[in-house]
Amino acid sequence: MRAIHFSQPKTLEHIEIDAPTPPSPTEALVRTHRMGVCGTDISSYLGTFPFFEYPRIPGHELGVEVLEVGAEVTNVKPGDHCSVEPYMHCGTCFACRTGHINCCESLNVIGIMSDGGLCDRFLIPAHKLHPSKSLSLDQLALIETLAIGCHATQRADPKPNDQVLIIGAGPIGLSALEFVRQSGARITVTDRSPSRLDFCQSTYSLEHTLLSTAPESTLTEITEITSGDLFPIVIDATGNPKSMATALSYVAHSGTLVFLGVTPSDVSLPDPLLHRKEVTIKASRNALPQDFVTCIQAIEQNKIDTDPWITHRTDFANAPNDFGTFTDPDAGVLKAMIEVA
């Protein structure tokens, strides 16, 4: 059976693997049709993601078709098109027992910590599938990215007319933007890429976008935008330790800072500033099952338009050659999609 794996950093290879066995009573056998390429995949390709080991079959942003289900499965049936919730949790640790399965102590994310969906077919626990009768396979492959932003927005808890700063206008930052805007908050986005800021402005008609240059000049502009108050909510989606440390300077006294991006490096924060402001700092990891349902419903109800998201495409045959181009900042990639079948 066909598959593609990362054999080492910056190297993708076509391989042959064994076909999956018939599904167990609680499993489903699915065919991969689409794989979205996310920042984690890019970092894994570059060799900079902290939870990745080689060789590995990637693929956790997936649009799949159900081929066969086990005897006890009732939530999906053959022929259904689904998004995949790629977080395999233990169900017994403290986080799982308290409903936080997204940060299970022994979490296994397919495509990162175990082999993923960049192959013809694979088995998955059926309860990790989220079907939709109307979404396209492209849209279903975008759900996992959107769910991460949905979860981070819940962590930030913006209210109508709150001023919210989103740092980083990549796919994860944009996924947060989609749900922050549904809260009625006033949004400012900052990024180092003029083209990404142009995309934000043309797509979402934001009140403010800021080109990130020196922190001092950015802070000056932020002070002007907020009339000196700074932002009560800041979401950093960069995964850049310098950006994450600097983000504290942009948070209002008594405000909230949400770290959405992941870095393998330490993040150093000035404690006097942290205490003086009494800032609440939250991490946001992955998403919960309800977030997937919320994202599917949001697209079905036309609250989110995914058409502008996919800027680049490749197919299974050409993916190893094309993948490197998705890492080029000058290529203008927002979301690349691999057409597997």
Side-chain angles (χ1 to χ4, degrees):
M1 184 181 74
R2 302 181 310 161
I4 294 174
H5 75 177
F6 290 118
S7 57
Q8 58 186 347
K10 299 185 178 180
T11 305
L12 275 77
E13 296 176 340
H14 287 105
I15 58 172
E16 289 289 323
I17 60 174
D18 292 337
T21 61
S24 73
T26 58
E27 288 182 318
L29 175 66
V30 300
R31 181 188 306 280
T32 303
H33 284 270
R34 299 288 187 275
M35 173 190 148
V37 178
C38 83
T40 300
D41 298 314
I42 298 297
S43 298
S44 300
Y45 173 82
L46 296 173
T48 60
F49 193 71
F51 307 123
F52 199 85
E53 295 181 355
Y54 304 87
R56 176 72 69 229
I57 298 172
H60 63 278
E61 295 184 2
L62 301 168
V64 303
E65 175 190 359
V66 178
L67 300 179
E68 185 180 352
V69 299
E72 298 176 10
V73 174
T74 59
N75 64 310
V76 292
K77 62 184 184 305
D80 282 351
H81 289 178
C82 303
S83 177
V84 173
E85 182 188 332
Y87 323 124
M88 305 298 123
H89 63 284
C90 72
T92 59
C93 71
F94 176 80
C96 287
R97 296 196 313 270
T98 55
H100 302 283
I101 62 174
N102 59 306
C103 54
C104 167
E105 293 177 26
S106 55
L107 192 70
N108 176 0
V109 183
I110 66 169
I112 300 173
M113 300 161 185
S114 62
D115 286 339
L118 192 50
C119 57
D120 285 327
R121 303 180 304 280
F122 66 98
L123 291 168
I124 191 163
H127 69 274
K128 295 293 184 179
L129 296 174
H130 297 274
S132 172
K133 294 181 179 180
S134 59
L135 266 58
S136 69
L137 290 160
D138 283 346
Q139 289 172 320
L140 289 166
L142 293 173
I143 294 299
E144 195 267 345
T145 295
L146 288 166
I148 289 174
C150 179
H151 184 69
T153 301
Q154 293 172 8
R155 299 282 287 160
D157 195 25
K159 300 295 190 295
N161 293 317
D162 276 352
Q163 287 196 301
V164 178
L165 175 65
I166 298 175
I167 305 173
I172 295 299
L174 293 178
S175 69
L177 189 159
E178 288 283 6
F179 288 94
V180 172
R181 63 197 286 264
Q182 292 185 40
S183 74
R186 300 161 58 192
I187 303 170
T188 298
V189 172
T190 182
D191 196 278
R192 294 182 297 180
S193 167
S195 63
R196 285 187 170 181
L197 293 179
D198 289 343
F199 174 86
C200 289
Q201 192 60 53
S202 62
T203 304
Y204 301 107
S205 301
L206 299 182
E207 190 172 352
H208 299 285
T209 57
L210 297 176
L211 183 63
S212 178
T213 52
E216 295 81 7
S217 60
T218 300
L219 180 59
T220 298
E221 292 182 88
I222 285 172
T223 302
E224 293 174 355
I225 289 171
T226 61
S227 300
D229 290 335
L230 305 180
F231 283 94
I233 296 173
V234 175
I235 300 173
D236 190 297
T238 65
N240 180 301
K242 291 183 179 179
S243 173
M244 295 165 74
T246 303
L248 180 63
S249 301
Y250 307 149
V251 185
H253 284 244
S254 75
T256 297
L257 172 58
V258 177
F259 287 142
L260 179 52
V262 178
T263 176
S265 304
D266 291 342
V267 177
S268 180
L269 300 173
D271 184 71
L273 184 61
L274 175 67
H275 271 82
R276 186 164 67 248
K277 291 184 175 184
E278 199 180 52
V279 170
T280 298
I281 296 180
K282 297 182 178 182
S284 182
R285 187 182 185 193
N286 301 323
L288 291 167
Q290 184 56 46
D291 298 321
F292 284 75
V293 176
T294 297
C295 293
I296 289 172
Q297 291 175 344
I299 299 176
E300 290 176 339
Q301 296 167 7
N302 297 315
K303 294 180 180 178
I304 294 178
D305 178 11
T306 60
D307 287 347
W309 279 61
I310 301 172
T311 57
H312 292 68
R313 290 184 181 274
T314 188
D315 58 21
F316 190 88
N318 293 300
N321 291 329
D322 293 343
F323 202 96
T325 64
F326 303 151
T327 70
D328 181 2
D330 295 330
V333 178
L334 177 59
K335 175 63 67 175
M337 191 68 65
I338 299 175
E339 300 179 357
V340 180

